[in-house]
Amino acid sequence: MKSSSLVTAASHLSLVCLSLVATPCTAAGQQAQFLPIPGPSATPGSNQNGCYISGSAGYSGVRVSADGSTVATIVYEPGFVNGYVPRQGAVWTDVGGTQVVTPELGGIGLGLYPCTGISADGSIVYGDTWRWRRSGGFEQLVTDYSRLIFGCSNDGSTVTGVQGIYPAEGDYYIWNVNGGSPQVLPRNAQFPEGYFYFNAISGNGRVVGGAARRVSSYTYAAAILTTTGSTLITGEASQNSVTDLSFDGSVTVGYTTDAVSGFALRAFRWTAATGAQALSGAPSGSDSSYARACDASGSVVVGDYVRFGFPGTRAFLWSAGLGFRDLQDELQSNYGLGQALLSWQLLVATDISSDGRTIVGQAMNPNGCQQA
């Protein structure tokens, strides 16, 4: 929501007014900053497949607070230990730089999905089993690993995730971590076997999105849930899911399997009025697109796409007024970042701030290392 960077920009285009700094939006021009997120060491972590400085292209990739001030990500220590590159959770701010906030994650349990949620002001960060607070530091919230955390509300008090051990994950839940027990959300009547691992929560903490799963056939339907019931928003296929929601949960974004090819993915945007619609202008045919996050209103969407016959993924930006755009092309052509992005490849945009002005993700840097 991926060796990339924080991208901030100001634009006269109202739906794409991207900026960390308070740069005014004017018709005179568009300005942006491209800010690579450094790791804890000048030497990247590495294994036989490459080198890693910060970030992740996976589900728990680079996250940004709703106010655009703070980035939560993974950083990598030098070396290759026991079959993997050592990693830790970290937060980054423009003023404070990179701050490591967790122990080495391979030593505290699962640690498979660091940085799955961040509060609106960046003062709270969640991983799959842990929480870090600026005022309280790191703490392990789940010790038996029967419950995983995959998102939090804007105020950081409410989390969502999945209960159970693969492959019988079973139930999504909502949990006020400051008091009370997790509240299990209802299973959809058409999918009594339950829900798949990954899910997301609206900024107000009231709506959860994810995938209802049929274990017997390994097929999925994108779904939204509240404490009172669930709604399927796509049909059933090999890969369908909600990946993010607007602040009030009235808009969701995600991906669905293309009905014609049977394997390509289609990024979609859903509202109750329109249903799930493929993003206008997105690649079609054998190409794939994957929506990862949206702004608070659900009108700006980011993610990644694959162009058939070309290597790797590419980050994209979509808005209702301007449609689908390659993010790197947009920044180089319209935001004056041609020199800053020289020899970089923006692989995926994983998250976007509430106002749509700050985008984070993962890229390949000029040295061939992956970086946030």
Side-chain angles (χ1 to χ4, degrees):
M1 274 218 15
K2 308 181 196 164
S3 323
S4 151
S5 70
L6 173 74
V7 173
T8 67
S11 163
H12 64 272
L13 302 172
S14 61
L15 285 177
V16 196
C17 198
L18 309 166
S19 171
L20 178 66
V21 294
T23 308
C25 297
T26 68
Q30 304 171 122
Q31 298 176 340
Q33 290 179 295
F34 176 79
L35 304 171
I37 307 299
S41 169
T43 304
S46 62
N47 61 17
Q48 66 271 24
N49 297 318
C51 58
Y52 307 89
I53 294 173
S54 57
S56 168
Y59 176 84
S60 58
V62 193
R63 300 281 176 144
V64 67
S65 57
D67 65 7
S69 69
T70 307
V71 179
T73 187
I74 310 168
V75 294
Y76 298 90
E77 297 285 355
F80 180 50
V81 180
N82 297 327
Y84 75 103
V85 180
R87 63 197 188 280
Q88 295 168 289
V91 295
W92 177 95
T93 63
D94 194 29
V95 174
T98 299
Q99 175 190 358
V100 173
V101 299
T102 75
E104 205 289 296
L105 290 169
I108 64 168
L110 286 178
L112 294 175
Y113 307 109
C115 307
T116 57
I118 183 170
S119 64
D121 63 0
S123 65
I124 304 172
V125 175
Y126 287 93
D128 51 10
T129 61
W130 53 266
R131 173 175 65 173
W132 171 84
R133 291 177 292 173
R134 188 169 288 135
S135 61
F138 174 86
E139 61 182 320
Q140 191 86 29
L141 294 176
V142 182
T143 57
D144 61 2
Y145 312 115
S146 62
R147 179 184 308 125
L148 299 178
I149 297 167
F150 284 121
C152 71
S153 59
N154 274 19
D155 66 6
S157 68
T158 303
V159 299
T160 187
V162 65
Q163 295 191 159
I165 299 298
Y166 183 88
E169 298 88 343
D171 296 305
Y172 286 158
Y173 66 85
I174 290 178
W175 179 22
N176 185 323
V177 295
N178 297 320
S181 301
Q183 181 176 1
V184 174
L185 299 176
R187 296 189 182 191
N188 188 278
Q190 296 182 53
F191 288 80
E193 293 161 287
Y195 299 98
F196 187 56
Y197 262 37
F198 309 113
N199 59 330
I201 191 168
S202 60
N204 63 10
R206 298 175 182 174
V207 185
V208 169
R213 182 185 188 198
R214 198 175 305 283
V215 177
S216 56
S217 59
Y218 287 89
T219 51
Y220 309 83
I224 53 175
L225 302 81
T226 67
T227 56
T228 59
S230 63
T231 302
L232 302 180
I233 63 173
T234 70
E236 183 177 351
S238 59
Q239 296 189 71
N240 292 346
S241 189
V242 170
T243 55
D244 200 14
L245 304 93
S246 61
F247 176 80
D248 64 2
S250 64
V251 181
T252 73
V253 298
Y255 59 92
T256 185
T257 305
D258 177 66
V260 176
S261 70
F263 65 88
L265 299 180
R266 299 282 171 259
F268 73 80
R269 178 179 181 272
W270 174 94
T271 69
T274 65
Q277 295 188 331
L279 298 184
S280 58
S284 59
S286 58
D287 299 330
S288 287
S289 56
Y290 188 112
R292 297 199 181 250
C294 63
D295 67 353
S297 68
S299 61
V300 183
V301 183
V302 296
D304 56 303
Y305 74 102
V306 175
R307 180 69 70 185
F308 190 71
F310 292 84
T313 62
R314 302 273 302 185
F316 78 77
L317 170 71
W318 179 93
S319 61
L322 298 174
F324 189 97
R325 285 149 290 156
D326 181 285
L327 180 60
Q328 187 157 350
D329 289 347
E330 177 79 2
L331 295 172
Q332 290 177 314
S333 299
N334 297 322
Y335 287 85
L337 289 177
Q339 190 63 36
L341 288 169
L342 190 65
S343 300
W344 286 78
Q345 181 181 348
L346 302 189
L347 301 173
V348 55
T350 56
D351 206 0
I352 185 169
S353 60
S354 179
D355 61 6
R357 295 163 66 97
T358 305
I359 296 171
V360 295
Q362 186 80 0
M364 192 71 71
N365 72 17
N367 296 320
C369 294
Q370 294 211 22
Q371 186 168 357

